[in-house]
Amino acid sequence: MGKLKAYVPVLLSLLISFVIILLIGFNSVNKAPGEVYKVYVDGNFIGAIKSKSALEKYINNEQKSLKKEYGVKKVYIPNGIDIEKELTYKGKIISEKKIYKKIKEKKSFTIKGYIVTISKEKEKDIKLYLLKKGIFDKAVKQVLYSFESKENVLNYKNDTQAEIKTTGSTIENIYIDQDITIQEAFISTDELIFTNEVDLTKYLLFGTLDNGKEYTVRLGDTIETVAFNNKLSPSEFLIVNPEFTNVNNLLSVGQKVSIALISPILNIVVEKNVVEDMDKPYDTIEKEDSSMDLGTTQVETEGVNGIQRVTEKIQYVNGEARPAYISNVEVLKEPVNKVVIKGTKKTYGGVYTGSIDPAISSGSWGWATVSPYIITSYFEWRWGRLHEGIDISGCGMGSPIFAIESGTVLSTYDGCSNYGSISDSCGDYFGNYVWIQHPNGVYAVYAHLMNGVVAYPGQQVSKGQVIGYMGSSGSSTGTHLHLGTFYGGTKYGEYGGGTVFNPLSLY
Ligand SMILES: [Zn+2]
């Protein structure tokens, strides 16, 4: 034992030097100039690096930060990456950072989530990427509530809508006019991935996550004027500024309001049954009286409008009314017709003083359709485009269309089929139409008429004269009349250059 004890230091020092040699030896192997790692993506060589662990560090760090960003436990690294050790490499060695960048250009990290595919015939599929499935339903509800009150929607769903006893409206159906599928999938973290319903709602409504422009309220502004001047309809203004409840809310000077344009991703359809009372207009009956001078008139009985209760079926797509139809009319009070006596006596030496047409002044303009009717679209902005006129519907295919004043027919078109649509090869926006030059610089277009236009170019028409019949030709989503009015000219062509104005300002 004593001998062995004497050897211990020698053995120990031998052991230490052996370990040192081993370490140096291994180190020198590691630092051998020929040894590298070759990196492949899907079998394609993308470069060589010195340190495998340095590259792994980049990948791990990215994984960590993505886990944090999306709040998920697992982030999948790009697949198809191979790293092979090579001892006799003579080519160029590049930095691990560069290789990492190259990998990221070709491949992405993925996380488990859901792909929502929104599809419609003849339209391109829209894909949305979600972290959680449940946020889609929640966001769709929020979008729906921006077009229709939550209270109404819940009453419809719970079958607790109040029955219409006199007038009012009920929802008959709510649906999305697109096919929607939701699939679980690995999603590239390079995509826009929705993690909460607030962002998703905003995206479904505006088609972007950018905050739209803001407007600072000035003296004299109203919701209606701010909306119109910024290409929004009043109802769109209320959607982008939910703190306001109706268009009559006051704005305060200096207040900032959103003027973001909505561009809905979904087509949310709400079908309603509406009952409302409207005037039943009186007719004017003329009687001749040979004891009165020609050119003179006298009102025998003043006209009084009656009342009619009208039941309408209206379809709203993302809050925008489509041409409606009337399902029932009940007359509550018959109108009293106006009776006018016209003199026919030609007095000797008397001078015929001219026209017995109504005076041309504000309030004298006639209506273009029969009654009852529904105005389903006003002269206002919708989705960033001005609707240059009003849409009148509910009168039915083939109901007469009247000239709103006397005038000269400038042009007509009668080549489109009766039931044209946007896809109709008769692509002209107006379909069958009549342009009339009315008094006081007013030019009017009567559009989407049924095949069989009555008016012809050069014709002199009088107020109330039938010029055609209500149809759905051209770019039209249902039977209606589009009445557009311009000042100083028509929209295009020979008489073009007119300024569009709201036809309702004539009445
Ligand atoms: Zn229109």
Side-chain angles (χ1 to χ4, degrees), residues 387 390-391 429 448 480 482:
H387 182 233
I390 55 170
D391 289 347
Y429 178 77
H448 307 307
H480 75 290
H482 173 93

Side-chain angles (χ1 to χ4, degrees), residues 20-163:
I20 291 170
I21 288 164
L22 253 178
L23 280 173
I24 293 168
F26 268 113
N27 254 337
S28 65
V29 168
N30 264 346
K31 282 185 178 160
E35 184 178 304
V36 293
Y37 292 90
K38 290 174 84 176
V39 182
Y40 297 84
V41 172
D42 291 337
N44 299 315
F45 175 68
I46 61 161
I49 51 170
K50 255 186 195 162
S51 166
K52 188 182 173 186
S53 61
L55 176 61
E56 283 168 347
K57 206 170 173 187
Y58 280 112
I59 292 173
N60 289 341
N61 285 345
E62 177 73 1
Q63 241 180 331
K64 259 188 220 160
S65 80
L66 287 170
K67 276 181 192 174
K68 215 173 159 191
E69 184 182 343
Y70 293 105
V72 291
K73 289 206 180 102
K74 252 190 134 129
V75 170
Y76 301 86
I77 64 164
N79 54 17
I81 300 170
D82 289 315
I83 302 174
E84 281 171 22
K85 190 166 152 185
E86 193 160 308
L87 292 171
T88 55
Y89 185 68
K90 294 238 159 52
K92 200 180 147 202
I93 289 176
I94 55 178
S95 75
E96 289 79 11
K97 193 177 180 180
K98 261 194 186 149
I99 279 287
Y100 174 66
K101 263 188 151 176
K102 278 191 169 185
I103 291 172
K104 278 203 61 174
E105 275 163 21
K106 291 181 194 298
K107 289 274 178 164
S108 50
F109 288 78
T110 53
I111 56 176
K112 255 191 188 166
Y114 296 86
I115 301 178
V116 178
T117 309
I118 301 164
S119 50
K120 196 172 183 198
E121 218 184 305
K122 290 178 188 164
E123 283 174 21
K124 229 181 122 200
D125 283 1
I126 298 163
K127 286 196 189 297
L128 302 174
Y129 303 93
L130 319 177
L131 191 59
K132 286 177 230 142
K133 203 177 177 178
I135 63 171
F136 186 70
D137 272 355
K138 285 182 187 163
V140 170
K141 269 186 197 149
Q142 290 309 314
V143 173
L144 171 61
Y145 295 156
S146 62
F147 299 127
E148 185 61 55
S149 85
K150 189 176 175 177
E151 194 192 343
N152 288 352
V153 172
L154 291 180
N155 279 332
Y156 163 73
K157 289 215 166 129
N158 302 329
D159 206 13
T160 51
Q161 295 190 93
E163 200 192 319

Side-chain angles (χ1 to χ4, degrees), residues 107-309:
K107 289 274 178 164
S108 50
F109 288 78
T110 53
I111 56 176
K112 255 191 188 166
Y114 296 86
I115 301 178
V116 178
T117 309
I118 301 164
S119 50
K120 196 172 183 198
E121 218 184 305
K122 290 178 188 164
E123 283 174 21
K124 229 181 122 200
D125 283 1
I126 298 163
K127 286 196 189 297
L128 302 174
Y129 303 93
L130 319 177
L131 191 59
K132 286 177 230 142
K133 203 177 177 178
I135 63 171
F136 186 70
D137 272 355
K138 285 182 187 163
V140 170
K141 269 186 197 149
Q142 290 309 314
V143 173
L144 171 61
Y145 295 156
S146 62
F147 299 127
E148 185 61 55
S149 85
K150 189 176 175 177
E151 194 192 343
N152 288 352
V153 172
L154 291 180
N155 279 332
Y156 163 73
K157 289 215 166 129
N158 302 329
D159 206 13
T160 51
Q161 295 190 93
E163 200 192 319
I164 304 172
K165 292 218 171 80
T166 51
T167 56
S169 74
T170 50
I171 296 175
E172 301 217 302
N173 202 359
I174 298 178
Y175 59 92
I176 296 174
D177 185 20
Q178 286 145 318
D179 289 328
I180 294 174
T181 55
I182 304 183
Q183 275 175 306
E184 195 172 10
F186 288 98
I187 300 169
S188 159
T189 53
D190 296 337
E191 299 290 353
L192 172 62
I193 303 174
F194 293 96
T195 59
N196 62 72
E197 72 254 31
V198 176
D199 285 348
L200 184 58
T201 303
K202 190 170 172 188
Y203 190 82
L204 289 177
L205 209 47
F206 297 96
T208 170
L209 285 180
D210 294 342
N211 283 318
K213 279 185 258 166
E214 275 191 333
Y215 172 82
T216 307
V217 174
R218 277 177 261 176
L219 193 65
D221 281 341
T222 65
I223 288 181
E224 273 179 336
T225 59
V226 172
F228 192 87
N229 293 337
N230 292 290
K231 305 189 172 183
L232 293 170
S233 73
S235 58
E236 285 174 335
F237 181 94
L238 295 179
I239 291 168
V240 299
N241 294 284
E243 64 272 29
F244 297 101
T245 52
N246 75 64
V247 289
N248 298 320
N249 285 171
L250 290 181
L251 298 173
S252 46
V253 174
Q255 183 176 16
K256 287 200 174 11
V257 293
S258 172
I259 49 168
L261 293 184
I262 71 164
S263 174
I265 302 268
L266 299 172
N267 288 338
I268 299 185
V269 182
V270 176
E271 289 175 351
K272 283 191 179 182
N273 189 43
V274 180
V275 183
E276 61 177 335
D277 288 345
M278 51 177 83
D279 282 348
K280 182 172 166 62
Y282 58 79
D283 287 334
T284 302
I285 294 163
E286 289 179 347
K287 280 191 198 165
E288 293 188 341
D289 187 335
S290 59
S291 71
M292 275 166 57
D293 286 348
L294 182 68
T296 61
T297 61
Q298 197 186 320
V299 176
E300 186 186 77
T301 315
E302 276 297 351
V304 181
N305 285 336
I307 301 170
Q308 51 192 346
R309 182 157 291 170

Side-chain angles (χ1 to χ4, degrees), residues 310-411:
V310 181
T311 307
E312 305 153 10
K313 305 278 181 200
I314 308 182
Q315 195 186 57
Y316 296 86
V317 179
N318 295 331
E320 181 193 34
R322 290 290 155 88
Y325 75 93
I326 288 170
S327 61
N328 190 44
V329 180
E330 185 191 343
V331 178
L332 301 182
K333 193 179 134 218
E334 288 291 353
V336 177
N337 287 337
K338 182 176 181 176
V339 182
V340 179
I341 304 171
K342 283 168 73 178
T344 55
K345 187 171 86 178
K346 292 183 181 171
T347 32
Y348 175 74
V351 180
Y352 174 56
T353 51
S355 172
I356 53 162
D357 280 335
I360 297 153
S361 64
S362 162
S364 77
W365 295 81
W367 194 251
T369 72
V370 295
S371 176
Y373 59 84
I374 308 159
I375 299 175
T376 40
S377 195
Y378 288 87
F379 181 79
E380 62 185 22
W381 291 91
R382 174 69 67 172
W383 305 339
R385 223 182 64 202
L386 180 63
H387 182 233
E388 295 187 331
I390 55 170
D391 289 347
I392 308 169
S393 65
C395 312
M397 174 74 69
S399 61
I401 301 298
F402 308 104
I404 57 174
E405 245 304 347
S406 59
T408 308
V409 177
L410 298 178
S411 63

